[in-house]
Amino acid sequence: MIKIPGRHEVCEKFKENGGKIAAVLPIHYPRALLRAFDFLPVEVWGPPHVDVSYGGAHLQPYVCSIVHNALSFLKTGGLDETDLIIVPHACDSLQGLGSILIDFVKPRQPVFPFYLPRGKRDEDLNFLMREIKALFENLSKITGKRPDDDTLMMKIEVEELADLKLKELYERRFRDRSQGNGAISNLEFYRIIRSREFLPAEDFIKLADESLEKLNFGGKGIPVIMSGIVPEPMEILDAIGEAGGKVVADDFACCGRRIYPPGNSRDPIERMARAIIDAPPDVTRGSLIEERFEHLKKLVEVTGARGVIFYTVKFCEPELFDLPELRNMLKEVGIPSVHIEVDIGDPLPHQTITRITAFLEVLE
Amino acid sequence: MSLKAHLEYYWNVKLLGTTFLRIERLRAERKQRVPKKWRTDILAPPLKISARTKELISRHYLEGRYANGHKPVAWVTSGGPVEILQALGFYVLYPENHGALCGARRYALELSEEAENYGFSQDICSYARTDIGAMLSGKTPVGKLPKPDLLLACTNICQTVLFWYRVLAKHFNVPIILIDTPFVYTEAPEHAIEYVKKQLEASIPIAEKVSGKKLSFKKLKEVVRLSKEASELWLEIMYRGKVKPAPISVFDQFIHMAPIVEMRGKPETVDFYAAMLKEVDERIKKGIGAVKKERKRLLWDNLPIWYRIRFLAEYLGKHGISVVASTYTMAWGELAPLIDPERPIESMAKTYIYPILNRGTGYKLKKMKEMVDEFDLDGAILHSDRSCKPYSIGQVDQRNKLIKDYGIPALLLEADHNDPRAFAEEQVKARLDSFIEMLE
Ligand code: SF4
Ligand code: SF4
């Protein structure tokens, strides 16, 4: 088994070496920029096990659990060791959270919103570059630093290498069809993948290399793809495994939608912006339903998956709007799917497990 | 465009429909009938202009019914920059307005269920559900909706419209113009305004291609001027709420706001609001209040509860409460000063990035406080709208701050703008009752 350090441990170590921690909310942001200012981005996708009543003091019950939990986490001291909060824009709910933080909650740390354009047009790229520059200026203001282009480029290259490793891990997962014993479970696989959310890129690269060298990514199981925002509660992954399924790829906002392609521009700002603009389709960046369909279809073809599990967070409008058409389109080309909705803070309902088992039986 | 469609349009809209609707309106104006069960003991009779509102809206939808083949059709979000499309001769339909109309006529639930049966979740915006239901089933209380040739989604009211319009784009297989207006947390940075301007410029060739016409800047300036005039008049009308007793309530504003949303840039809209302002001023001269015995005055925040407008007007009116101002209706007037017909694109970029819905929660609170002072109000009702997250997130703090920091009584009222299933009448009454007690 490969040892993955815990978040707290990682943060402590990073701080010991003089660095600072930036808590970053979902979904897209320029990691390399933060690293160039010696901030370690540590992402906040919920998390699931917090006392949500703290978020409930600011938010209505019809706001998704990612936002509820993130606010509760902050209010219960979960972000105390961080020095900065970044709120990228993804949806109305995250936008609202960012605004509440700035105007009402006013945490100790500075809060920087980061707006992401909803298209891939020239004007979108230009705007995103200007947003990254604005974030640069804000970071510069609070740190007094002004990393030069060479430093930025160096950080970008490390992040790109980490993204390549992430891609390699996924490829190994679906290519390794060996049936022998000792293969890692869905949960173990995602523990590795999701460590990208808090490990420094350099450490993630090492972890990925070690995993690729030592672990068995094969194993039995009906190959399936998952799509949604985040695989929380992570028990879902074990439940799929126990029902006989193997997750061979995903279209999760926290994972597969952030396999950023390497760039080639020599302008670091443009290169960071392009990576986000050219990332796999994502509804929160305005990708068309057709693009998402093509992407999923291709994933199914390449990985040999037999079906798609849409695993969404309750009240997540971006996902909910796409699902009926997306599922119909998949059905038309013979790709079955199932939709499961969860509140990330709730234990996995028995009914969900039953539905997954039934779905996998159909695929068999 | 086809000859048959042109002939049908002229015959049904220009000749028959327009004449018929005018006669209907004249008849209604002459009779000035008060609707059955209207509580004249509590509320002033409906505005005389109502007959004209009905005529305008009916003609608008009638035109839509025969628009395909006669002129290009665009479906646009309610805060969308419509002036370019108007100048190119598009027939413009606002799905949200259609949704509101369905809500007010108690037709939204049926349409929403059509969408839900297809697989759309009950948790998405109920306007979207209503319109997707209409799109899937072809049902609508206005007869028939024209198919769009073009979609225009502007994110200055919410991100939801972007998700919603992608569903429309897929269904109708038509191009979509996106005007992405970065959310203004505090102030809009220069690059955000520049971004909106660039997108407006880039939208012109797309709209020109669909319409088969070249945009005349002279025409655009004229449309922008009319837009500004109508918005200014609308603002004037809302400011008349400062008078005591308030001549019109927000419930009247909700009913008469359709033209400012969906007919901006048209001369008849300017005429309409000029006439409405005149009538409101007549009421002021005569000392007529929207609520007969106005004792308390309130602010409304967020969208209307379309299917319960009359109920709320009467329930509050019964206690002498007039809801005289609203952050929602104000949104279509407050930006009028930013519109500059001589610099149409530049000024549109600024105007369309700054509506209240695209601004931070702190700004909204500031605006509420200002309105309470300006209109001399006694409290605020914040409609916590289940399926409109962008408007509703932040209201818990806003309500608390209104109460604690400013001593303004404020109520958070749980409901939904278009889904009657989210409206628990007994609970609403109980909440209103205890709020009213607090006001005393
Ligand atoms: S789960 Fe959906 S609604 Fe919630 S923050 Fe993420 S994208 Fe937004
Ligand atoms: S979410 Fe709110 S602002 Fe957006 S379309 Fe629906 S009602 Fe309008």
Side-chain angles (χ1 to χ4, degrees):
Chain A
M1 201 53 243
I2 305 272
K3 186 178 172 320
I4 305 172
R7 280 171 188 252
H8 179 65
E9 193 186 323
V10 171
C11 292
E12 287 278 290
K13 200 172 135 203
F14 197 82
K15 286 191 144 191
E16 269 165 28
N17 292 329
K20 291 186 169 181
I21 310 294
V24 188
L25 283 117
I27 299 173
H28 304 276
Y29 61 98
R31 279 189 176 116
L33 181 71
L34 290 169
R35 288 302 307 280
F37 281 91
D38 212 8
F39 275 102
L40 173 69
V42 174
E43 300 175 8
V44 185
W45 294 80
H49 306 295
V50 287
D51 180 351
V52 290
S53 61
Y54 287 84
H58 299 269
L59 299 163
Q60 290 96 330
Y62 47 80
V63 178
C64 78
S65 48
I66 293 277
V67 166
H68 255 280
N69 289 30
L71 185 51
S72 302
F73 192 52
L74 171 104
K75 304 252 333 176
T76 50
L79 300 184
D80 280 358
E81 61 188 343
T82 66
D83 306 282
L84 166 69
I85 300 175
I86 306 248
V87 191
H89 198 288
C91 61
D92 293 323
S93 303
L94 271 170
Q95 161 189 300
L97 175 63
S99 195
I100 287 178
L101 290 182
I102 292 170
D103 294 328
F104 302 132
V105 176
K106 299 185 177 164
R108 170 185 57 75
Q109 310 88 324
V111 178
F112 295 154
F114 179 66
Y115 194 86
L116 286 140
R118 265 60 183 173
K120 291 176 152 207
R121 305 159 295 186
D122 288 348
E123 42 289 14
D124 298 312
L125 177 70
N126 286 333
F127 170 76
L128 185 53
M129 286 170 62
R130 300 277 298 271
E131 261 313 88
I132 294 176
K133 279 185 197 157
L135 185 57
F136 181 106
E137 292 305 327
N138 278 333
L139 292 169
S140 188
K141 230 178 265 167
I142 58 166
T143 58
K145 296 179 186 169
R146 284 197 85 76
D148 58 18
D149 280 7
D150 288 344
T151 311
L152 279 171
M153 215 35 127
M154 218 166 66
K155 298 293 176 190
I156 290 171
E157 279 162 9
V158 179
E159 293 297 337
E160 287 184 351
L161 184 58
D163 287 336
L164 276 178
K165 293 289 168 192
L166 183 69
K167 198 162 168 247
E168 229 177 302
L169 286 165
Y170 274 110
E171 282 174 2
R172 179 70 72 81
R173 180 74 176 161
F174 70 77
R175 283 200 205 291
D176 194 341
R177 304 267 165 94
S178 63
Q179 302 284 308
N181 287 336
I184 54 167
S185 68
N186 292 322
L187 182 62
E188 285 160 340
F189 177 70
Y190 274 93
R191 287 233 164 93
I192 298 169
I193 292 288
R194 295 196 61 199
S195 66
R196 180 90 178 94
E197 293 168 23
F198 60 92
L199 280 184
E202 302 81 350
D203 294 0
F204 180 79
I205 293 166
K206 276 189 216 141
L207 178 83
D209 280 341
E210 197 186 345
S211 306
L212 289 162
E213 192 190 315
K214 294 187 181 157
L215 297 179
N216 172 359
F217 286 78
K220 291 192 193 115
I222 301 158
V224 287
I225 286 171
M226 291 186 83
S227 173
I229 298 294
V230 60
E232 292 284 10
M234 283 183 85
E235 292 84 355
I236 182 68
L237 297 161
D238 270 343
I240 292 173
E242 276 155 27
K246 177 181 169 185
V247 184
V248 287
D250 74 66
D251 164 48
F252 277 125
C254 68
C255 309
R257 287 184 211 168
R258 299 195 304 169
I259 306 177
Y260 300 109
N264 48 25
S265 170
R266 293 313 301 163
D267 172 354
I269 303 288
E270 184 181 350
R271 188 140 157 184
M272 286 186 277
R274 268 243 165 267
I276 294 176
I277 295 259
D278 293 340
D282 182 347
V283 53
T284 67
R285 288 189 300 99
S287 310
L288 293 173
I289 302 177
E290 290 85 338
E291 290 172 280
R292 289 196 67 194
F293 162 70
E294 287 302 333
H295 178 69
L296 282 171
K297 190 163 80 108
K298 198 165 155 219
L299 271 185
V300 167
E301 281 161 11
V302 173
T303 61
R306 293 205 209 141
V308 181
I309 299 173
F310 288 100
Y311 188 74
T312 65
V313 179
K314 180 132 177 78
F315 298 117
C316 176
E317 286 211 340
E319 292 294 316
L320 288 174
F321 266 99
D322 275 10
L323 278 183
E325 291 297 355
L326 195 50
R327 292 188 64 198
N328 274 347
M329 290 166 94
L330 289 171
K331 195 171 163 200
E332 273 166 28
V333 295
I335 302 170
S337 67
V338 66
H339 175 210
I340 289 162
E341 207 176 34
V342 291
D343 185 320
I344 64 159
D346 288 349
L348 205 59
H350 189 70
Q351 198 201 4
T352 300
I353 300 171
T354 315
R355 288 189 62 207
I356 287 188
T357 311
F359 180 64
L360 290 169
E361 272 169 16
V362 172
L363 298 188
E364 211 170 6
Chain B
M1 305 295 130
S2 80
L3 181 62
K4 186 169 166 269
H6 289 314
L7 289 174
E8 273 182 359
Y9 180 88
Y10 280 109
W11 178 252
N12 291 303
V13 180
K14 291 279 172 206
L15 290 173
L16 293 183
T18 306
T19 316
F20 172 75
L21 290 170
R22 184 167 304 139
I23 294 169
E24 280 283 282
R25 189 247 301 168
L26 291 172
R27 197 182 293 157
E29 279 176 349
R30 222 179 18 252
K31 285 192 185 153
Q32 281 303 327
R33 204 183 287 142
V34 176
K36 257 192 252 158
K37 294 195 196 153
W38 186 272
R39 295 288 305 267
T40 41
D41 54 328
I42 299 173
L43 307 173
L47 288 162
K48 290 187 208 129
I49 199 83
S50 302
R52 249 175 108 170
T53 312
K54 194 170 168 214
E55 181 194 15
L56 263 186
I57 305 297
S58 305
R59 203 170 65 204
H60 178 68
Y61 282 107
L62 177 72
E63 209 189 333
R65 208 167 162 162
Y66 295 97
N68 285 132
H70 170 69
K71 41 163 90 173
V73 173
W75 286 21
V76 180
T77 55
S78 67
V82 70
E83 288 76 7
I84 293 169
L85 300 177
Q86 295 282 23
L88 280 167
F90 274 84
Y91 171 81
V92 180
L93 180 93
Y94 287 80
E96 289 140 271
N97 255 43
H98 172 252
L101 184 142
C102 294
R105 295 201 194 167
R106 314 278 176 104
Y107 204 83
L109 182 57
E110 186 180 336
L111 293 176
S112 187
E113 282 171 350
E114 291 281 352
E116 288 159 28
N117 292 340
Y118 190 82
F120 288 93
S121 164
Q122 239 192 70
D123 293 332
I124 64 172
C125 165
S126 51
Y127 273 165
R129 269 180 283 141
T130 307
D131 274 291
I132 291 172
M135 171 192 90
L136 292 169
S137 65
K139 292 182 198 164
T140 160
V142 300
K144 186 176 158 245
L145 295 178
K147 287 202 176 64
D149 302 298
L150 178 70
L151 299 164
L152 188 150
C154 179
T155 57
N156 64 357
I157 48 168
C158 62
Q159 301 301 312
T160 300
V161 291
L162 170 64
F163 312 137
W164 171 5
Y165 274 55
R166 290 154 66 261
V167 173
L168 299 180
K170 159 83 184 59
H171 181 88
F172 290 113
N173 193 20
V174 291
I176 176 167
I177 291 178
L178 168 68
I179 306 292
D180 189 7
T181 47
F183 186 71
V184 182
Y185 289 93
T186 46
E187 278 300 310
E190 208 36 61
H191 68 270
I193 296 170
E194 182 67 20
Y195 175 46
V196 179
K197 183 174 156 249
K198 285 263 150 54
Q199 292 175 85
L200 287 170
E201 284 163 355
S203 75
I204 297 173
I206 305 171
E208 284 180 335
K209 194 170 166 214
V210 175
S211 70
K213 277 191 198 160
K214 191 104 192 91
L215 178 71
S216 143
F217 269 81
K218 196 170 155 227
K219 175 87 182 140
L220 178 63
K221 284 180 180 177
E222 174 63 5
V223 171
V224 172
R225 186 184 64 74
L226 291 168
S227 237
K228 183 178 173 78
E229 269 183 42
S231 304
E232 281 170 347
L233 285 164
W234 178 242
L235 195 62
E236 279 296 306
I237 292 169
M238 280 178 297
Y239 279 152
R240 293 299 197 265
K242 292 178 185 177
V243 177
K244 288 183 184 178
I248 62 165
S249 72
V250 295
F251 303 111
D252 300 307
Q253 293 173 17
F254 294 153
I255 292 164
H256 300 290
M257 70 185 288
I260 195 64
V261 181
E262 63 192 350
M263 294 168 213
R264 282 196 309 276
K266 294 191 163 209
E268 56 267 36
T269 309
V270 176
D271 295 346
F272 171 78
Y273 285 117
M276 184 169 170
L277 183 60
K278 205 166 148 221
E279 187 184 348
V280 170
D281 282 339
E282 275 163 22
R283 274 195 171 188
I284 293 174
K285 238 186 259 159
K286 292 181 190 155
I288 300 174
V291 167
K292 286 219 163 140
K293 290 172 197 145
E294 179 186 299
R295 292 188 312 111
K296 299 278 173 189
R297 297 153 60 82
L298 296 183
L299 174 77
W300 181 271
D301 179 55
N302 212 327
L303 273 80
I305 302 171
W306 286 111
Y307 45 93
R308 299 303 264 162
I309 285 184
R310 176 98 76 90
F311 163 81
L312 287 165
E314 286 179 0
Y315 200 83
L316 293 163
K318 202 167 69 187
H319 295 275
I321 294 172
S322 189
V323 189
V324 303
S326 120
T327 53
Y328 180 67
T329 48
M330 196 58 107
W332 277 272
E334 65 179 343
L335 299 179
L338 289 180
I339 308 173
D340 179 357
E342 287 313 307
R343 296 167 53 251
I345 303 287
E346 287 85 347
S347 68
M348 277 163 71
K350 257 200 176 152
T351 311
Y352 283 105
I353 207 171
Y354 272 126
I356 191 164
L357 259 144
N358 204 40
R359 304 199 65 172
T361 47
Y363 174 81
K364 285 189 198 119
L365 171 67
K366 186 173 151 253
K367 191 81 210 163
M368 282 190 233
K369 164 76 172 86
E370 273 170 21
M371 288 177 79
V372 167
D373 291 343
E374 272 184 70
F375 288 80
D376 195 14
L377 306 178
D378 301 286
I381 296 179
L382 288 76
H383 166 208
S384 168
D385 187 342
R386 188 181 185 277
S387 73
C388 179
K389 294 179 187 70
Y391 217 141
S392 306
I393 297 181
Q395 283 180 321
V396 179
D397 285 291
Q398 287 155 355
R399 189 257 330 252
N400 293 347
K401 294 232 165 239
L402 283 173
I403 297 173
K404 284 190 199 137
D405 295 1
Y406 305 123
I408 299 167
L411 168 74
L412 204 59
L413 193 70
E414 298 290 339
D416 186 276
H417 57 285
N418 237 28
D419 191 335
R421 289 168 296 187
F423 188 87
E425 185 164 321
E426 288 315 310
Q427 209 177 311
V428 168
K429 280 182 181 167
R431 305 267 297 137
L432 287 175
D433 287 345
S434 45
F435 182 59
I436 292 165
E437 253 172 53
M438 253 176 65
L439 291 174
E440 296 304 333

